Amino acid sequence: MSTAEVAGSGGLRGSDLARAALEAARASAKERGVRGVRKGAAGATGRRRRRRWSGPGPDDRDPQPLGRLAARIAADRGWVERLAGGQVFARWPKLVGEELAEHARPVAFENGELTVQADSTAWATQLRLLQRELIKRIAAGVGNGVVTSLKVQGPAAPNWRFGPRHAPGRGPRDTYG
Protein backbone atom coordinates (compact mmCIF):
# COMPACT_ATOMS: atom_id res chain seq x y z
CA MET A 1 0.00 0.00 0.00
CA SER A 2 1.54 3.32 -1.04
CA THR A 3 1.19 6.61 0.81
CA ALA A 4 -1.24 7.83 -1.84
CA GLU A 5 -3.47 4.82 -1.18
CA VAL A 6 -3.25 5.42 2.57
CA ALA A 7 -4.26 9.03 2.14
CA GLY A 8 -7.11 8.01 -0.15
CA SER A 9 -8.58 5.43 2.22
CA GLY A 10 -11.66 7.14 3.52
CA GLY A 11 -12.34 5.15 6.70
CA LEU A 12 -9.03 5.94 8.45
CA ARG A 13 -8.61 8.93 10.70
CA GLY A 14 -6.06 10.23 13.22
CA SER A 15 -3.82 7.59 14.73
CA ASP A 16 -5.13 4.86 12.40
CA LEU A 17 -4.05 6.92 9.41
CA ALA A 18 -0.60 7.47 10.98
CA ARG A 19 -0.20 3.71 11.63
CA ALA A 20 -1.15 2.89 8.08
CA ALA A 21 1.35 5.47 6.73
CA LEU A 22 4.09 3.99 8.92
CA GLU A 23 3.32 0.47 7.70
CA ALA A 24 3.41 1.69 4.10
CA ALA A 25 6.79 3.36 4.67
CA ARG A 26 8.18 0.20 6.28
CA ALA A 27 6.92 -1.92 3.39
CA SER A 28 8.54 0.34 0.78
CA ALA A 29 11.81 0.38 2.74
CA LYS A 30 11.72 -3.43 2.93
CA GLU A 31 11.30 -3.60 -0.84
CA ARG A 32 14.37 -1.38 -1.32
CA GLY A 33 16.40 -3.52 1.09
CA VAL A 34 16.73 -0.97 3.89
CA ARG A 35 16.85 -2.63 7.25
CA GLY A 36 14.74 -0.92 9.89
CA VAL A 37 16.09 -0.26 13.33
CA ARG A 38 13.66 -0.68 16.17
CA LYS A 39 13.74 1.60 19.22
CA GLY A 40 16.24 0.30 21.75
CA ALA A 41 17.85 -2.16 19.33
CA ALA A 42 21.53 -2.03 18.37
CA GLY A 43 22.31 -0.06 15.22
CA ALA A 44 24.57 -1.00 12.31
CA THR A 45 27.71 -0.32 14.37
CA GLY A 46 26.56 -2.39 17.34
CA ARG A 47 26.38 0.60 19.68
CA ARG A 48 23.30 2.22 21.09
CA ARG A 49 22.73 5.81 20.11
CA ARG A 50 22.55 8.30 22.91
CA ARG A 51 19.98 11.02 23.15
CA ARG A 52 21.34 14.40 22.16
CA TRP A 53 18.92 16.63 24.03
CA SER A 54 19.58 18.08 27.45
CA GLY A 55 18.11 16.26 30.37
CA PRO A 56 18.70 16.04 34.09
CA GLY A 57 22.38 15.13 33.55
CA PRO A 58 25.27 17.59 33.16
CA ASP A 59 25.56 19.42 29.86
CA ASP A 60 27.91 22.04 28.37
CA ARG A 61 25.04 24.52 28.42
CA ASP A 62 24.68 24.24 32.19
CA PRO A 63 26.39 26.80 34.45
CA GLN A 64 30.04 25.80 34.92
CA PRO A 65 32.51 26.59 37.73
CA LEU A 66 34.83 29.44 36.79
CA GLY A 67 37.96 27.34 37.35
CA ARG A 68 36.80 24.68 34.90
CA LEU A 69 36.04 27.31 32.26
CA ALA A 70 39.42 29.00 32.76
CA ALA A 71 41.22 25.64 32.49
CA ARG A 72 39.35 24.83 29.27
CA ILE A 73 40.23 28.24 27.75
CA ALA A 74 43.88 27.85 28.76
CA ALA A 75 44.06 24.39 27.19
CA ASP A 76 42.38 25.56 23.98
CA ARG A 77 44.78 28.46 23.55
CA GLY A 78 47.98 26.64 24.59
CA TRP A 79 48.60 28.58 27.78
CA VAL A 80 48.97 25.60 30.12
CA GLU A 81 52.78 25.61 30.26
CA ARG A 82 53.02 29.36 30.79
CA LEU A 83 50.39 29.28 33.55
CA ALA A 84 52.21 26.43 35.28
CA GLY A 85 55.40 28.50 35.13
CA GLY A 86 53.52 31.40 36.67
CA GLN A 87 52.43 29.14 39.53
CA VAL A 88 56.09 28.43 40.28
CA PHE A 89 56.65 32.17 40.74
CA ALA A 90 53.49 32.67 42.80
CA ARG A 91 54.04 29.68 45.10
CA TRP A 92 57.83 29.83 45.35
CA PRO A 93 58.07 30.05 49.20
CA LYS A 94 55.69 27.11 49.66
CA LEU A 95 57.40 25.00 47.00
CA VAL A 96 61.01 25.33 48.17
CA GLY A 97 60.61 26.33 51.82
CA GLU A 98 60.68 29.65 53.64
CA GLU A 99 64.43 29.67 54.42
CA LEU A 100 65.46 28.96 50.86
CA ALA A 101 62.95 31.49 49.49
CA GLU A 102 64.55 34.24 51.63
CA HIS A 103 67.90 33.78 49.86
CA ALA A 104 66.83 32.82 46.33
CA ARG A 105 64.12 33.97 43.95
CA PRO A 106 62.96 32.81 40.52
CA VAL A 107 63.92 35.21 37.75
CA ALA A 108 62.83 33.60 34.47
CA PHE A 109 61.02 30.53 33.16
CA GLU A 110 61.30 29.43 29.55
CA ASN A 111 60.93 26.03 27.84
CA GLY A 112 60.96 24.13 31.12
CA GLU A 113 64.11 25.84 32.42
CA LEU A 114 63.73 27.85 35.62
CA THR A 115 66.38 30.50 36.29
CA VAL A 116 66.94 31.24 39.98
CA GLN A 117 69.07 34.06 41.39
CA ALA A 118 70.69 33.65 44.80
CA ASP A 119 71.68 36.37 47.31
CA SER A 120 75.27 35.18 47.62
CA THR A 121 77.69 32.80 45.94
CA ALA A 122 77.40 30.47 48.93
CA TRP A 123 73.64 30.19 48.46
CA ALA A 124 74.14 29.72 44.71
CA THR A 125 76.44 26.77 45.45
CA GLN A 126 73.90 25.36 47.90
CA LEU A 127 71.13 25.65 45.29
CA ARG A 128 73.27 23.83 42.73
CA LEU A 129 73.77 20.99 45.23
CA LEU A 130 70.02 20.84 45.96
CA GLN A 131 69.03 21.11 42.30
CA ARG A 132 67.49 17.62 41.94
CA GLU A 133 65.63 17.92 45.23
CA LEU A 134 64.21 21.32 44.24
CA ILE A 135 62.98 19.98 40.89
CA LYS A 136 61.24 17.12 42.73
CA ARG A 137 59.58 19.55 45.17
CA ILE A 138 58.40 21.80 42.35
CA ALA A 139 57.06 18.79 40.42
CA ALA A 140 55.13 17.66 43.51
CA GLY A 141 53.60 21.11 44.00
CA VAL A 142 52.91 22.31 40.45
CA GLY A 143 52.97 19.25 38.24
CA ASN A 144 55.38 16.76 36.78
CA GLY A 145 57.38 17.95 33.77
CA VAL A 146 56.73 21.66 34.26
CA VAL A 147 60.28 22.44 35.41
CA THR A 148 62.80 20.14 33.76
CA SER A 149 66.03 21.97 34.59
CA LEU A 150 67.24 24.59 37.00
CA LYS A 151 69.75 27.33 36.15
CA VAL A 152 71.29 28.97 39.22
CA GLN A 153 72.82 32.45 39.08
CA GLY A 154 74.87 34.16 41.73
CA PRO A 155 74.32 37.73 42.88
CA ALA A 156 74.48 40.46 40.28
CA ALA A 157 77.71 42.47 40.28
CA PRO A 158 77.45 46.25 40.66
CA ASN A 159 77.37 48.26 37.48
CA TRP A 160 79.81 51.15 37.40
CA ARG A 161 78.31 52.75 34.31
CA PHE A 162 76.43 55.87 35.29
CA GLY A 163 74.93 58.30 32.79
CA PRO A 164 74.72 58.23 29.02
CA ARG A 165 78.49 58.61 28.34
CA HIS A 166 81.17 56.14 29.26
CA ALA A 167 84.96 56.22 28.99
CA PRO A 168 86.67 52.88 28.35
CA GLY A 169 88.81 51.49 31.13
CA ARG A 170 88.53 50.08 34.61
CA GLY A 171 86.32 52.78 36.03
CA PRO A 172 86.49 54.15 39.60
CA ARG A 173 88.71 51.28 40.77
CA ASP A 174 91.80 52.64 38.96
CA THR A 175 92.20 55.60 41.37
CA TYR A 176 92.92 53.48 44.44
CA GLY A 177 96.64 53.14 44.17
Side-chain angles (χ1 to χ4, degrees):
M1 181 185 281
S2 70
T3 52
E5 292 173 345
V6 170
S9 53
L12 298 178
R13 293 195 145 196
S15 63
D16 294 331
L17 183 62
R19 264 192 221 100
L22 179 63
E23 288 300 321
R26 283 183 180 161
S28 68
K30 193 172 187 179
E31 289 174 11
R32 291 187 317 241
V34 177
R35 199 172 119 204
V37 178
R38 281 181 276 129
K39 185 177 180 180
T45 61
R47 296 185 316 193
R48 291 186 79 173
R49 297 182 105 190
R50 293 189 60 160
R51 293 184 302 187
R52 301 304 300 168
W53 60 83
S54 180
D59 190 11
D60 287 339
R61 296 174 291 177
D62 292 339
Q64 301 287 324
L66 185 61
R68 186 180 305 160
L69 291 174
R72 186 183 305 163
I73 290 171
D76 290 345
R77 298 193 179 178
W79 297 343
V80 175
E81 182 182 340
R82 294 178 74 189
L83 289 174
Q87 281 199 1
V88 172
F89 282 79
R91 298 173 54 196
W92 179 252
K94 290 182 180 179
L95 292 174
V96 298
E98 293 293 330
E99 183 181 4
L100 201 70
E102 288 178 20
H103 300 285
R105 61 183 177 89
V107 178
F109 178 75
E110 190 171 332
N111 297 330
E113 181 181 63
L114 180 67
T115 305
V116 178
Q117 186 173 22
D119 287 348
S120 66
T121 55
W123 275 103
T125 304
Q126 187 70 18
L127 285 172
R128 287 185 189 102
L129 292 173
L130 292 172
Q131 187 171 6
R132 287 187 181 175
E133 178 66 29
L134 290 176
I135 291 174
K136 286 180 187 176
R137 286 185 194 175
I138 293 170
V142 178
N144 201 7
V146 174
V147 176
T148 55
S149 64
L150 201 64
K151 182 179 176 183
V152 180
Q153 295 178 344
N159 187 1
W160 295 102
R161 289 186 122 168
F162 298 108
R165 295 179 184 81
H166 177 69
R170 288 185 42 120
R173 294 176 297 279
D174 63 352
T175 60
Y176 295 123

